[in-house]
Each structure stands twice: as C-alpha cells, then as structure tokens.
Amino acid sequence: MSRSLLTPAQRVHAERNLPRYTSYPTALAFDARQASKAHDWIAGTNPEDRLSVYVHVPFCRRLCWYCGCHTSIAHTYERVGNFFETLTREVDLVAERLGRHDGLAHLHFGGGSPNALSPEDFVALVTQLKTAFRSRPDAEIAAELDPGMLSEAFVDAAGAVGVNRVSLGVQTFDPTVQALVNRIQPYDHVARATERLRAVGVKGLNFDLMYGLPGQTPENVHESARLAVQLRPDRVAVFGYAHVPWMKKHQTMIREADLADLDGRWAQAEAADIALVEAGYIRIGLDHYALPDDALSLAAAEGRLRRNFQGYTDDPAPVLVPIGPSSIGQFREGFVGNHVPTDQWSAAIARGELPLNRALVVDAEDRLRAAVIERLMCDMTVDVAAVCREHAFAEDHLADGLAATDALRLAGLCTRDDAVVSIPEPARRLMRVVAAAFDARLPQAAMRHAKAV
C-alpha cells in the first residue's frame, strides 16, 4: 500500500481553509436582510418544477465528539416529540404557500440522526411529506441514519413507508478510534443493519467513512474501507475530519496530539482510495465512490453529476425546499435558510410564519461562476469560455479566474489549454483549491471552513 506523498507546492495549498462548494455563493454569504424575498420565491414555483425536500432532524441519541452538525442530545423523547409536532406544522405551512409544481422527486432526511425519531413518528412524517408535496411514483426517499442506534423497528418502519436509499454513518470500524470519538458500533452490528435494510426493500445503500480522526493511521483507515466494501454498499463517501473546537465545543474532547498532521491525513485518504478502487468502486468528484452501475456513476459518466447541500447527486430538480431548523433550500432566484436555533425556529412556526431567517439573491454573475465551479467539482474539467457563452457573457469574462489558475498549474494542481481547465488525477483531492480561483466572494473568515485536505 503506497501512493505519492504531498509535494511541497501541494502542501501550501492543502493548508488553505476553503469552502466545500456544495453551493455557490456559499452559505456564509446569506443575509438576514434578504429573508423576506424568499416568500415570493416559494409562492412562485413553476408548474414544471420538480421538488427536492430536505428535512433536518437536530437530535441524536449520542454525541459523537467529531461531529460538526447542528444537533443536540435528547435525554427524553418528550423533547423530540414536541419537535415532531412542530415539524408537521411547518410542513403544512410550506405546502400551503408553495406555488404550483410537478411533484416531489427527492426527499432527504439528515441531521443529527433521523432515527432519533420514533418509528411511529417517522412513518407519520414521511407519509405527511409525501402527501403534502405530491410524491412522484419514482421519488427517491433517503435518510442518513446512525447504525449504532438503529433498531429493527425503525428499519421496518423505513421499509414500510418507502425509504429506498439509506446512508449509514460508519466513519470507522477500528474499535480504538471509535472509543476516541465516542461512537461505538462493531462491524457485526453494521453488517446486521445492512442486511436488514436490504431485506425491507432499501435498494440504495451508502456508507460514510472518515479520515483524520484521532488515532487513525493509513493502515486502520485502509482496513475500515476494506471491511466496508465487504458489505458492498452502492456508494461510499470519505470525508476528512474538520477540527474546529472554537465552533463545536464538544470537539475539545479530542486531543490535538491524537490527530495526524497534513501528510498523515493525505496518506490516510490515499489508503481509503486504494481499498475502494481495488474493490471496483469508481471515483466520483472530490470524496465519493460508487459501483459502476450505480446512478451516481452513470451520471458522472454522462456529464449529469450535480452538487448540492447533500453532496454529489444525480438530482436535477431546480427547487430544494428546506424543512427543519438550520435547513437550507434553493429556488431559481436564490438560496434560503431556516433559523438555526431550534427555539427560534419553533417560535416562528407557532406564530404561523415560515421559519426563514436568511437568504441570498443570486445574479447572472453568481450563476456563471456557480456553473464553472460545479463542473470542476463534478467533472474535473471545464471549458470556461463555453460556459460564459452559455450564460450570455463574453468568452473572456472570467479571465481573472483563468489567470489565477496559472499559479496552480505550476504547482501541479491543474492544467490549462486556453480556456479549458482540467484537474489531473493526482490532484483530485485538491480540487477545491482550483474551484476557489473562480470564487469572487471568497470570504475572509477562512477559519469557518475546513482545510483543503
């Protein structure tokens, strides 16, 4: 097991704190003063618009010390039950205000852990959402679940209500690392959950793995990936741990002395890549892998791969409806976000208001740059001049971004043939650096973002 190490030139860029570019402009640009505009966007959907809906459940049954999500621990179910009741009212409010559309194509539950809900409440919620937004017969219904806290009753409920894709937060199978991050879930437990999910009709199965956690080494990361592929998930995502204890106080439970340096993180990511590629998985964008016949692999091969707030997707829906605290949505006119604190979100709904507290109008320039960044993040190549033409700009409109890539080319991060910028395979993991060359809004608050590797 050996791969190339970071070069000195790459190391400089790998240290940079950059957005993950699940949107452009990024969420840091959202503005509370623009929130009122979003009401018109919601009412103004088009009859041909298919919907995606994202539901955020901000509760877990255990606190994993690496977590960077908006979540908290509910020690009794009363608190979760109250949240569920408020969430159902929000669904009704949004459905009442939403304009005409072509039905629900994608429904995605994230968190937190959606399986913090009781099986009964989860069934009721999915049923309500499918009715309220007129679920299409071929709709994808996906949920991110904590396998260590996944009961058979919840799996049965998910199958009964039509969940057809599940992402399991595996992270690592190494017991020492699991103990260091407070996420104990033996391999056998995940294997049983995988088998049970397939038995109830969940056709798509994703695993999330991580590198950069305390106690991780290239060897135990490789072993976790090797064990993961034995269960043959359709997709695997490999995320780098972002240590931001000034933003997430529980991360102070992780000792910095237990974390690998930049070269160690790179070696760990390479180790996971070796195991996945050797097992027949196709590299997808920055950090995803999929089996060759998976819809994500097919979308990548056909140039249809997209990137949104849930990561890489084959979902072409132009409207993403946010449900739940901290949830982010997208409309043709721009982006919108719900209140992050659960009490502020709940209070707005109690007043009969949509719980929106920030938004961002996107203009033609934003859409142009977003298209270039998305193609780089999805295809690892983009004809900048062609994208400019498609968006009714002069071919040289992004000459500043092209010029910025020249220094990156010298560092081996990209190549450039006139206006065609491409990212070579050895620099795949640094593609955010190349994408940032076209980011006219790159914020000064760099520490709000994770390192490029």
Side-chain angles (χ1 to χ4, degrees):
M1 185 178 63
S2 63
R3 282 280 182 88
S4 60
L5 300 177
L6 276 167
T7 68
Q10 288 175 327
R11 186 176 290 107
V12 171
H13 293 289
E15 288 277 14
R16 293 174 61 185
N17 296 83
L18 294 170
R20 292 187 59 81
Y21 292 117
T22 51
S23 71
Y24 181 82
T26 69
L28 290 184
F30 294 6
D31 187 345
R33 294 169 296 182
Q34 297 189 29
S36 61
K37 300 177 186 293
H39 293 270
D40 291 336
W41 307 346
I42 292 169
T45 53
N46 298 326
E48 69 273 16
D49 286 346
R50 294 187 180 186
L51 304 183
S52 286
V53 174
Y54 174 72
V55 182
H56 189 83
V57 179
F59 294 104
C60 292
R61 291 172 59 193
R62 57 178 174 179
L63 181 61
C64 303
W65 294 332
Y66 60 80
C67 183
C69 300
H70 171 56
T71 190
S72 62
I73 304 302
H75 296 291
T76 68
Y77 195 74
E78 181 181 6
R79 187 174 166 211
V80 180
N82 291 337
F83 162 80
F84 163 76
E85 295 294 339
T86 305
L87 196 66
T88 62
R89 291 196 290 274
E90 182 187 9
V91 172
D92 288 339
L93 285 173
V94 175
E96 290 167 4
R97 288 160 171 75
L98 199 63
R100 296 175 64 192
H101 58 83
D102 195 30
L104 175 64
H106 286 255
L107 174 58
H108 191 107
F109 290 86
S113 299
N115 51 317
L117 292 167
S118 71
E120 297 77 14
D121 285 349
F122 183 74
V123 166
L125 180 59
V126 176
T127 302
Q128 180 194 14
L129 286 157
K130 290 167 71 174
T131 301
F133 297 113
R134 292 190 293 107
S135 179
R136 298 173 62 85
D138 58 349
E140 179 173 273
I141 303 174
E144 302 171 16
L145 303 178
D146 177 353
M149 298 293 172
L150 185 57
S151 68
E152 287 196 4
F154 194 95
V155 171
D156 290 342
V161 82
V163 171
N164 48 29
R165 181 167 295 281
V166 164
S167 292
L168 294 179
V170 172
Q171 323 310 2
T172 177
F173 284 116
D174 186 272
T176 300
V177 179
Q178 289 181 351
L180 287 171
V181 296
N182 196 39
R183 192 178 180 89
I184 305 299
Q185 50 196 30
Y187 176 83
D188 289 347
H189 187 104
V190 177
R192 286 194 298 271
T194 299
E195 181 180 7
R196 184 68 177 164
L197 286 163
R198 287 176 170 146
V200 301
V202 177
K203 301 299 184 184
L205 194 62
N206 310 350
F207 281 5
D208 290 342
L209 300 178
M210 294 186 73
Y211 66 88
L213 293 173
Q216 282 190 309
T217 65
E219 291 74 23
N220 61 34
V221 169
H222 183 274
E223 178 63 8
S224 287
R226 188 191 67 79
L227 289 170
V229 300
Q230 286 185 355
L231 300 175
R232 215 59 181 166
D234 304 273
R235 303 175 187 175
V236 179
V238 183
F239 300 121
Y241 167 59
H243 191 59
V244 287
W246 55 91
M247 292 174 59
K248 298 294 180 180
K249 298 301 182 186
H250 53 265
Q251 289 189 356
T252 58
M253 299 297 292
I254 293 177
R255 299 193 315 155
E256 293 197 23
D258 292 331
L259 300 176
D261 61 12
L262 189 62
D263 290 302
R265 287 172 63 90
W266 181 274
Q268 290 172 25
E270 289 279 271
D273 181 86
I274 290 170
L276 291 165
V277 172
E278 286 181 348
Y281 287 79
I282 306 297
R283 297 185 184 99
I284 305 291
L286 173 66
D287 46 23
H288 281 48
Y289 299 79
L291 292 174
D293 59 350
D294 182 79
L296 211 59
S297 293
L298 299 177
E302 296 167 6
R304 298 184 290 104
L305 191 64
R306 303 293 307 279
R307 189 157 171 82
N308 65 16
F309 295 105
Q310 282 73 62
Y312 288 104
T313 180
D314 61 340
D315 175 14
V319 174
L320 174 61
V321 177
I323 301 290
S326 81
S327 188
I328 295 175
Q330 183 173 6
F331 295 83
R332 294 182 185 275
E333 299 87 349
F335 300 104
V336 60
N338 283 350
H339 283 287
V340 175
T342 304
D343 58 346
Q344 294 179 22
W345 167 82
S346 299
I349 294 168
R351 296 190 298 268
E353 302 171 1
L354 295 179
L356 311 174
N357 82 321
R358 62 202 190 281
L360 181 70
V361 177
V362 296
D363 58 23
E365 175 88 11
D366 291 328
R367 292 188 179 93
L368 169 65
R369 292 179 180 272
V372 170
I373 289 171
E374 184 175 49
R375 294 318 343 133
L376 276 171
M377 296 293 294
C378 291
D379 303 337
M380 296 177 58
T381 186
V382 63
D383 185 334
V384 176
V387 177
C388 287
R389 289 195 304 272
E390 291 167 5
H391 287 255
F393 282 87
E395 289 189 357
D396 63 351
H397 185 76
L398 295 181
D400 58 339
L402 286 170
T405 65
D406 286 338
L408 305 179
R409 177 178 56 80
L410 296 175
L413 271 62
C414 65
T415 62
R416 180 154 84 91
D417 181 4
D418 194 14
V420 178
V421 178
S422 301
I423 300 168
E425 190 59 52
R428 174 185 291 269
R429 207 163 288 118
L430 293 164
M431 64 172 61
R432 289 191 290 154
V433 178
V434 183
F438 297 94
D439 184 348
R441 296 173 177 256
L442 196 63
Q444 298 302 309
M447 295 307 288
R448 296 289 301 276
H449 298 299
K451 291 191 181 298
V453 172

